[in-house]
Amino acid sequence: KARVASSPGPAARLAFPVYKPRTFLSPGFQDNLGWGFATALGAQHARPDVPVVSINGDGDFLMNGQEIATAMQYDAAVIFIVVDNGMYGTIRMHQERTFPDRVSGTALVNPDFAALARAYGAQGATIATTDRSANRRIHFVMRPPPLGPSTHPNRRPARPAGCSPRSRSAGPVVP
């Protein structure tokens, strides 16, 4: 019953079967870096009753990873999976195919994504693969379901008094 928001790249598109409409959110083959994380936050905000899992490459996650702060601030219960292979994988694949001896600008120096999650007050864990040829780590950045106003010491109220549930404006609700 969960929704999956996929980042660009072929891995998530090929690995997850889709059984129901509107449960797999993907940019198709447009490959907009940063799409998966931002879309997962939006999907969670639109339907807080439906769990959301976001599958991201490391390059994709780096485009919007600071939005862990937004997830914490608004108690967005999203699970982010970051596949860390130390490169912009799809871009490199295209470079290697088109210009085999001229790969450029695709290597990444990544933070410890699980530690980054913990720095924002979220849960974070890392699983290293046992397959040495894969040379990747998988990080889980997890935000548990809302626990109330004391979840995070710097948490702001999700909605100012007098605002409608869908509005973030400071003005009063007019019936």
Side-chain angles (χ1 to χ4, degrees):
K1 194 172 174 181
R3 288 177 146 179
V4 174
S6 163
S7 73
R13 287 192 289 256
L14 300 174
F16 292 94
V18 178
Y19 299 108
K20 294 173 78 176
R22 297 182 186 96
T23 58
F24 185 75
L25 309 172
S26 169
F29 289 93
Q30 300 304 313
D31 291 345
N32 304 310
L33 286 171
W35 193 91
F37 194 112
T39 302
L41 287 179
Q44 182 64 41
H45 180 73
R47 292 284 312 272
D49 57 314
V50 177
V52 177
V53 177
S54 179
I55 302 165
N56 308 273
D58 47 353
D60 178 67
F61 190 81
L62 287 171
M63 297 293 167
N64 283 321
Q66 73 280 0
E67 296 302 332
I68 296 172
T70 302
M72 293 300 295
Q73 180 177 344
Y74 293 104
D75 283 327
V78 178
I79 296 173
F80 297 98
I81 299 171
V82 182
V83 179
D84 178 0
N85 62 356
M87 70 178 87
Y88 293 114
T90 302
I91 296 169
R92 185 174 183 122
M93 176 188 70
H94 288 294
Q95 287 181 355
E96 288 175 348
R97 186 178 346 162
T98 309
F99 307 105
D101 298 321
R102 294 180 26 205
V103 173
S104 174
T106 56
L108 297 171
V109 177
N110 290 328
D112 179 333
F113 292 106
L116 180 65
R118 290 190 295 273
Y120 281 105
Q123 298 175 20
T126 300
I127 297 174
T129 69
T130 56
D131 181 0
R132 291 178 187 251
S133 65
N135 191 25
R136 67 175 57 126
R137 293 176 294 167
I138 299 178
H139 303 271
F140 295 91
V141 176
M142 296 171 273
R143 177 70 182 108
L147 300 174
S150 62
T151 331
H152 190 272
N154 296 327
R155 184 180 179 278
R156 295 184 190 150
R159 178 172 58 251
C163 289
S164 72
R166 291 285 186 198
S167 169
R168 298 285 182 229
S169 66
V173 175
V174 178

